[in-house]
Amino acid sequence: MTRLSPISGTALAADGFETLLRKVMFLAFEAGKHALEGHGFRVPDIREDERAYRKFIRACHHGYDKAQELIGQSVIDYEVSARTAEADARAARSRRDLRTAHDLLARVAVQRSRQLILRRVLDAILYLALMPEEWILRHATSVRETRRIDPVVVRQTLDVARQMNERSRWQFHVVVDITTAVQLGDLILIDRTPPGPGKWKVVELKDGIANEVLGGLIEKSKGRADRAAAETEAQRTF
């Protein structure tokens, strides 16, 4: 059985959340640039220099992976704590302790807000990782409501994603249940392995086996007609 770590006091504190968010934002959006500068490159160099491109993509995917792990575990922690507080609030109402119930539900509201912020960051990571095929996200959800997570399932899926990401930094697996933008499959795989265009896949996990549900190419350039045809096919499939 997967064990869930208890929520830390610093994660719940306002200053602790700010520190966490700053770290996540750096890993998600600065790791690639930081790695390039450490090797004497600049971001524009990735268009012309193959070495710069390789270092950039691998560093981005490494940063995405570390950011996703922090986001995922924090979202799990907030979910576990919020469920406990909701149960305590129900108990407080049953004994007519309305002040305690109100305070507990206010705590839950803060935790849910912080969850949503972190999940939106993962949405942004997925958007960037899919570019220029970010249009896929318009067809990857059927309802607008943000789903609550299952802490055990998310922890298990995070572990699988981390293991897969560590096999190759050319690939990045996004845990679907943590995002708010996707409701199809268990993982989204973005594969930038050279040569050729990148690929994306929707993956389902069953008994530890990854099964591709849907996939496509991430083209560096595509005409309007081809893009329109691809979007029509995506709408039909999703």
Side-chain angles (χ1 to χ4, degrees):
M1 178 180 295
T2 301
R3 298 182 62 183
L4 301 175
S5 61
I7 192 165
S8 63
T10 55
L12 285 175
D15 57 340
F17 180 73
E18 181 178 353
T19 299
L20 169 67
L21 187 58
R22 287 181 182 275
K23 184 173 183 178
V24 165
M25 296 291 280
F26 175 81
L27 290 168
F29 307 123
E30 298 289 336
K33 177 175 176 288
H34 183 74
L36 280 179
E37 293 173 347
H39 288 87
F41 295 110
R42 298 177 303 139
V43 173
D45 294 336
I46 66 176
R47 297 180 181 275
E48 305 294 337
D49 192 305
E50 185 67 22
R51 292 180 305 157
Y53 174 77
R54 288 171 176 263
K55 289 184 183 298
F56 181 72
I57 292 297
R58 290 167 62 87
C60 283
H61 285 183
H62 185 260
Y64 293 164
D65 185 39
K66 298 302 181 185
Q68 177 170 251
E69 179 63 29
L70 282 174
I71 290 169
Q73 187 56 55
S74 298
V75 167
I76 289 170
D77 288 344
Y78 283 128
E79 184 66 28
V80 172
S81 183
R83 291 185 182 190
T84 300
E86 287 170 340
D88 290 344
R90 289 192 294 270
R93 282 198 300 265
S94 68
R95 62 177 183 268
R96 300 187 183 280
D97 186 353
L98 300 184
R99 176 172 294 182
T100 296
H102 179 272
D103 290 345
L104 287 166
L105 291 177
R107 174 187 171 97
V108 170
V110 171
Q111 292 167 343
R112 296 291 182 205
S113 294
R114 292 178 180 175
Q115 268 189 326
L116 184 59
I117 291 168
L118 292 170
R119 295 176 73 177
R120 292 294 194 189
V121 173
L122 190 58
D123 288 343
I125 290 173
L126 178 56
Y127 182 94
L128 289 174
L130 282 170
M131 288 182 68
E133 302 301 319
E134 70 280 358
W135 57 265
I136 297 164
L137 298 178
R138 295 202 298 270
H139 310 295
T141 183
S142 57
V143 295
R144 295 298 179 184
E145 182 180 354
T146 300
R147 298 178 300 177
R148 292 177 62 166
I149 69 161
D150 181 323
V152 173
V153 171
V154 168
R155 182 64 263 171
Q156 292 172 338
T157 311
L158 268 171
D159 290 341
V160 173
R162 185 185 66 252
Q163 292 168 12
M164 290 182 171
N165 290 336
E166 288 175 349
R167 293 176 186 171
S168 171
R169 289 304 179 190
W170 287 109
Q171 299 182 345
F172 176 56
H173 296 76
V174 181
V175 177
V176 168
D177 282 353
I178 306 176
T179 72
T180 69
V182 181
Q183 295 178 3
L184 180 68
D186 297 312
L187 299 169
I188 302 292
L189 164 62
I190 295 93
D191 186 352
R192 299 281 182 175
T193 304
K199 300 177 182 179
W200 60 268
K201 296 179 181 179
V202 178
V203 178
E204 286 188 348
L205 300 175
K206 185 176 182 181
D207 298 327
I209 300 175
N211 299 301
E212 179 182 343
V213 177
L214 182 68
L217 297 178
I218 302 175
E219 300 284 3
K220 293 184 178 180
S221 63
K222 181 180 288 186
R224 288 186 179 181
D226 288 340
R227 181 177 294 276
E231 290 203 37
T232 299
E233 177 64 14
Q235 287 177 335
R236 183 191 67 77
T237 305
F238 283 116

